[in-house]
Amino acid sequence: MGGFFGAISQEDCVLDIFFGVDYHSHLGTRRGGMAIYDPKLGFQRQIHDIENTPFRTKFEKDLSEFQGCSGIGCISDIDPQPLLVRSHLGLYAICTVGIINNAEQLVREYFSDHGHQFMATGSGKVNPTELVAALINQEDDIVAGIRHAQDTIEGSMTILLLTEKAIITARDRMGRLPVHIGRSRTGYSVSFESFAYHKLGYEDAYELGPSEIVRITAEGFETLSPAEKPMKICAFLWTYYGYPNSNYEGVNVELMRYRNGEIMARDEVARGTLPDVDHVAGVPDSGTPHAIGYANRCKLPFARPFVKYTPTWPRSFMPANQAVRNQVAKMKQIPVPELIQGKKLLFVDDSIVRGTQLRETVDFLFASGAGEVHMRSACPPIMYSCKYLNFSRGNSDMDLLARRIIQELEGHEGHRHLEEYADASTARGKSLLKAICRKMGFDSLGYQSLDGLLEAIGIDREKICTYCWNGKG
């Protein structure tokens, strides 16, 4: 997906931007970038490939060359950014997080004459951030340009823009991703993750609403275009993507995950389907808090039968060779034999998407001597690939485990009954659970209900996007 951070101060703030961007490394694995502005040196920019080396390592050598009291940076899973753009609106740096589903259409509609060109990505597609800048530059001022981009893009687009005098930020039209502003003694920051600026001495100042555009200086911030009321913030921020100590719309990620696990256990006990197990465990790392809540509610001992070794192989530090990647994935799983051999284990994972890694985990557990492996997903069966955010490089519904199993069970007819398959109380729902258990090797499988998930988040349900589960965005 991607994350961003910016700061503007009465003092040099390069280090704040460096650490603030680094704190978003859990959101992307491909590119990292920083753009700094100084009145004497002008714009300074650097972009690095972070697929095999963490952001922090790649940018440490650049810090001595950067100088300035304002800047922005990002972690990106797609195109290299921030970009430096020169137009009739002036010189500015820009980075974005989101997805443009109608990119080719926009290029044909607005830029089909011979006077326009775009730098292509490795796949030949238009760089999304460059396209956003081109849409902005069609208008007479930056605010009108951002609104034009928001109105014409199908998907979502959150924008962070650095001029010589200010940072301008815009939350995507439906508020699917967060934008937070922090305040310090000497200036302000803007961030995807709120915890990133808390660690740098900033306190919460403001959270943008959907579509809102805000101008930030070292002296303060002002709304340039007001927020719209409709909101569809992504529920996956709480279940998986968000960092534990982040807050979205006032709801802490870690606490939501505890509540979610508790609700799963509460409902399973009420149904009488709780299996007899020795331990409840989380699939590390994001499944762990859901599992803690589950274990606490059903009063079963929580344990960690295996851990992931990440000091030298974190998520953003993987080799390009697929065979080596597969071997590294196996090497990262370190068993605790005393907690596995002969034990009946119930694992809670944050979600079950394609199922590839989970199948390998189950095989690893049985190979390590597990007696039984029961699996619980902290969210409902994923039925639709996200069309609003750039969560994954795959974009086919048939990449999803649940959809593949439904195809095997009932062919194309099954895809007309997705709502039934997502409901474990129906005949189709029960058949889906049994088929996945057979394919994946689980002794039992359960999914959190959509009602239970929304209860755990706790904000107005109409403000939450649930497209990946029920096709309603």
Side-chain angles (χ1 to χ4, degrees):
M1 187 169 61
F4 54 81
F5 186 91
I8 185 165
S9 175
Q10 297 167 7
E11 303 173 351
D12 188 286
C13 60
V14 170
L15 279 178
D16 280 3
I17 298 163
F18 169 73
F19 286 116
V21 176
D22 185 54
Y23 268 136
H24 288 81
S25 294
H26 59 290
L27 294 171
T29 61
R30 298 191 66 189
R31 302 288 184 271
M34 293 173 62
I36 310 294
Y37 177 75
D38 179 80
K40 293 182 179 179
L41 300 178
F43 283 91
Q44 310 134 67
R45 185 192 64 156
Q46 190 60 264
I47 298 171
H48 289 297
D49 184 326
I50 58 171
E51 289 187 274
N52 295 305
T53 305
F55 173 91
R56 181 181 60 259
T57 304
K58 279 292 183 74
F59 280 85
E60 280 178 341
K61 65 180 182 298
D62 299 312
L63 293 181
S64 60
E65 301 175 8
F66 283 145
Q67 176 182 315
C69 296
S70 64
I72 61 175
C74 65
I75 297 289
S76 177
D77 246 350
I78 44 171
D79 47 305
Q81 48 174 326
L83 300 182
L84 279 177
V85 178
R86 186 164 190 163
S87 73
H88 68 287
L89 300 177
L91 181 62
Y92 61 85
I94 181 174
C95 60
T96 66
V97 177
I99 187 170
I100 306 176
N101 294 317
N102 60 334
E104 297 301 325
Q105 175 189 335
L106 291 175
V107 171
R108 289 194 302 269
E109 183 174 349
Y110 291 102
F111 310 106
S112 59
D113 63 276
H114 296 295
H116 291 90
Q117 64 184 36
F118 291 92
M119 298 299 293
T121 63
S123 63
K125 295 181 179 180
V126 171
N127 181 317
T129 303
E130 187 177 359
L131 178 54
V132 171
L135 292 169
I136 292 173
N137 294 337
Q138 285 201 311
E139 300 297 326
D140 294 330
D141 63 80
I142 286 177
V143 174
I146 291 174
R147 293 308 300 261
H148 173 57
Q150 289 174 328
D151 291 341
T152 55
I153 287 172
E154 293 178 7
S156 69
M157 192 54 61
T158 293
I159 299 167
L160 194 58
L161 191 147
L162 173 69
T163 71
E164 295 176 353
K165 296 181 178 180
I167 293 174
I168 298 175
T169 185
R171 190 172 177 182
D172 64 275
R173 189 165 57 87
M174 295 300 293
R176 298 184 189 279
L177 294 179
V179 180
H180 299 93
I181 295 176
R183 178 194 297 111
S184 73
R185 178 181 54 83
T186 59
Y188 289 82
S189 64
V190 56
S191 182
F192 182 117
E193 297 281 36
S194 56
F195 84 89
Y197 59 69
H198 291 155
K199 290 292 293 182
L200 295 168
Y202 296 80
E203 60 183 22
D204 292 325
Y206 189 64
E207 186 170 1
L208 274 68
S211 291
E212 187 171 5
I213 304 173
V214 173
R215 181 177 184 267
I216 309 168
T217 68
E219 288 71 42
F221 59 92
E222 61 174 328
T223 294
L224 303 178
S225 182
E228 303 288 344
K229 287 187 177 181
M231 176 188 288
K232 286 293 181 181
I233 187 169
C234 175
F236 244 102
L237 291 171
W238 285 283
T239 58
Y240 172 61
Y241 272 100
Y243 211 69
N245 46 359
S246 285
N247 292 273
Y248 312 120
E249 301 301 321
V251 179
N252 175 260
V253 169
E254 185 80 351
L255 293 181
M256 176 275 173
R257 292 173 181 169
Y258 292 160
R259 285 198 301 271
N260 196 43
E262 290 171 2
I263 292 167
M264 289 174 64
R266 177 199 71 191
D267 294 346
E268 185 148 18
V269 169
R271 291 192 302 268
T273 57
L274 183 68
D276 176 23
V277 297
D278 296 303
H279 296 293
V280 172
V283 177
D285 290 312
S286 51
T288 300
H290 299 285
I292 291 173
Y294 190 102
N296 287 342
R297 179 68 187 216
C298 61
K299 295 180 173 55
L300 289 170
F302 175 83
R304 292 199 300 167
F306 76 96
V307 293
K308 287 187 176 181
Y309 190 82
T310 58
T312 53
W313 296 103
R315 191 176 77 92
S316 59
F317 186 34
M318 292 291 283
N321 182 281
Q322 185 61 49
V324 180
R325 288 173 69 94
N326 293 341
Q327 182 65 18
V328 166
K330 294 178 181 178
M331 296 295 290
K332 286 169 68 173
Q333 295 177 331
I334 311 297
V336 181
E338 292 81 358
L339 293 174
I340 297 179
Q341 292 175 359
K343 302 294 185 181
K344 294 180 288 186
L345 305 171
L346 185 148
F347 282 88
V348 183
D349 203 354
D350 56 79
S351 59
I352 300 176
V353 186
R354 293 172 180 82
T356 305
Q357 291 184 345
L358 194 55
R359 177 62 207 238
E360 293 174 352
T361 297
V362 173
D363 290 343
F364 153 76
L365 289 167
F366 280 122
S368 300
E372 295 179 8
V373 175
H374 302 263
M375 186 60 61
R376 298 295 180 266
S377 168
C379 69
I382 298 175
M383 298 294 189
Y384 300 88
S385 296
C386 182
K387 66 177 183 179
Y388 298 110
L389 298 169
N390 190 41
F391 276 151
S392 171
R393 298 178 194 180
N395 57 9
S396 170
D397 290 345
M398 295 309 295
D399 289 336
L400 304 171
L401 176 64
R403 293 296 291 272
R404 294 200 310 271
I405 297 296
I406 290 170
Q407 178 70 25
E408 293 174 9
L409 289 173
E410 207 173 350
H412 295 301
E413 174 65 22
H415 303 292
R416 298 173 57 186
H417 305 281
L418 297 182
E419 188 173 349
E420 287 184 61
Y421 276 111
D423 185 349
S425 68
T426 68
R428 282 189 167 97
K430 292 174 182 177
S431 69
L432 177 64
L433 294 180
K434 291 179 181 178
I436 293 177
C437 279
R438 287 195 299 270
K439 193 175 192 69
M440 303 293 286
F442 307 144
D443 286 279
S444 74
L445 172 64
Y447 286 92
Q448 171 66 300
S449 68
L450 186 55
D451 283 343
L453 178 69
L454 295 174
E455 180 186 345
I457 294 173
I459 67 174
D460 184 350
R461 297 183 178 203
E462 294 302 315
K463 295 183 177 181
I464 302 173
C465 180
T466 57
Y467 178 83
C468 57
W469 299 302
N470 61 7
K472 298 176 182 178

